[in-house]
Amino acid sequence: MQLDPLTVTAIAAMAASTYFTRIFGYWLVRRMTVSGRLASALETVPGAILTAIIAPMAFATGPAESGAALITVLLALRLPLILAVAGGCLAVVLLRALLG
């Protein structure tokens, strides 16, 4: 196995930028009073990230993945987010087994 220096540099830069944004976010929020609109916005971030990850897969793959995405959305309307994700994972496994 041979590592390309450009690839290693890109991975290191992405890791550093991810780390920087997380640390900067924590630093910024600690110095502010979080209430009202800001609190609401921060509470929606996990759902928005989950949607950004799942939506392309739901439309670009087969019927099992699309069905599991729909089930995940329906579960998310009634259950906590972690349970909806777990239900969606279970749904994709079962639908892949059933639909092939």
Side-chain angles (χ1 to χ4, degrees):
M1 183 172 134
Q2 191 171 2
L3 293 176
D4 179 30
L6 188 59
T7 302
V8 174
T9 303
I11 292 171
M14 288 185 281
S17 64
T18 300
Y19 181 75
F20 173 73
T21 56
R22 292 190 77 183
I23 294 300
F24 181 71
Y26 289 134
W27 177 81
L28 185 64
V29 170
R30 279 197 314 196
R31 292 179 177 11
M32 298 176 64
T33 302
V34 180
S35 63
R37 292 180 120 181
L38 180 59
S40 297
L42 290 175
E43 289 173 4
T44 61
V45 169
I49 292 172
L50 184 62
T51 302
I53 293 170
I54 291 176
M57 181 183 273
F59 295 117
T61 56
E65 290 79 8
S66 298
L70 177 64
I71 290 170
T72 304
V73 169
L74 295 175
L75 289 174
L77 294 174
R78 296 281 182 196
L79 300 173
L81 192 57
I82 190 70
L83 293 178
V85 171
C89 291
L90 181 62
V92 77
V93 169
L94 293 175
L95 287 173
R96 282 180 180 171
L98 292 173
L99 300 176

